[in-house]
Amino acid sequence: MNLGIIGQAVGLFAVTNIDDILILSLFFAQGAGGRGEARRIVLGQYLGFAAILAVAVAAAFGATFLPESAIPYLGLLPLALGIKSAWQTWRGRGDDTEEDEEGCAGGPRPLEVAAVTFANGGDNIGVYVPVFATAGVGGMTVYTVVFLVLVGVWCLAGRFFATRPVVARALSRWGHVLLPLVLIALGVLILVEGGAFGL
């Protein structure tokens, strides 16, 4: 196995996914204390990233499931989830006892995490495709394996930050406000940067 390709894969993943650590930390904080929440978040992260890899690998072989003009509209996914989360927060304000009884009901579902991961990584597809196309099947396999290992590392980092006492206190106090804001901002950013709706 070529150490140069592994190093390139690590660098490419880190550069294209650095913002995921913040989003994962918010998800882990939102689901803190819920039974099986960490498993659901990790599953969602892997589902979303596997979808990104599947589209990038297919495109590297010449198949285009997702026209380039459609990528900016992926911003609608985190935007919708952010609005939904903001609505739930606003509707549930002052209902702390109800939230405690529901337990893990307040945490994100795997498909919600996957949708945010896929939308946030939609622009990564454009970076991965030429790299995969020039790497060949062997190189593409190395990239894929390294990326999937690093998704787990990213999940651990997100959980680590969410459980640090200072960060955990801040997230438990403000996470219910931050998560919708981050998701809405992410959605708007993807839409605007991609020129969706003529923005």
Side-chain angles (χ1 to χ4, degrees):
M1 201 177 285
N2 188 337
L3 290 177
I5 293 180
I6 293 173
Q8 290 168 7
V10 169
L12 183 61
F13 182 90
V15 167
T16 54
N17 292 287
I18 197 71
D19 52 342
D20 274 353
I21 292 179
L22 171 65
I23 295 166
L24 281 166
S25 296
L26 289 167
F27 279 143
F28 280 117
Q30 185 188 31
R35 222 169 160 182
E37 279 306 315
R39 241 189 336 259
R40 282 191 278 275
I41 293 165
V42 171
L43 173 63
Q45 184 72 6
Y46 267 103
L47 286 173
F49 202 81
I52 290 169
L53 284 177
V55 171
V57 167
F61 283 117
T64 51
F65 299 114
L66 203 59
E68 200 171 311
S69 60
I71 290 176
Y73 295 96
L74 291 175
L76 293 171
L77 291 170
L79 181 62
L81 290 170
I83 291 169
K84 176 188 170 202
S85 182
W87 172 252
Q88 288 174 335
T89 298
W90 182 80
R91 207 181 68 194
R93 66 190 190 287
D95 291 345
D96 292 339
T97 52
E98 228 175 81
E99 201 175 295
D100 291 344
E101 287 167 17
E102 288 173 10
C104 69
R109 293 179 185 91
L111 289 179
E112 292 173 341
V113 176
V116 171
T117 301
F118 185 76
N120 190 33
D123 57 340
N124 295 2
I125 294 168
V127 177
Y128 297 161
V129 171
V131 173
F132 287 1
T134 57
V137 176
M140 200 183 311
T141 305
V142 173
Y143 274 99
T144 302
V145 169
V146 170
F147 283 6
L148 291 174
V149 168
L150 289 175
V151 168
V153 172
W154 249 233
C155 289
L156 288 171
R159 183 140 192 220
F160 174 81
F161 288 123
T163 56
R164 296 306 90 205
V166 173
V167 178
R169 276 195 299 276
L171 290 178
S172 68
R173 183 170 182 180
W174 298 105
H176 66 288
V177 174
L178 277 176
L179 183 64
L181 287 177
V182 167
L183 291 178
I184 290 168
L186 178 65
V188 169
L189 187 69
I190 293 169
L191 290 168
V192 170
E193 283 187 349
F197 304 112
L199 298 171

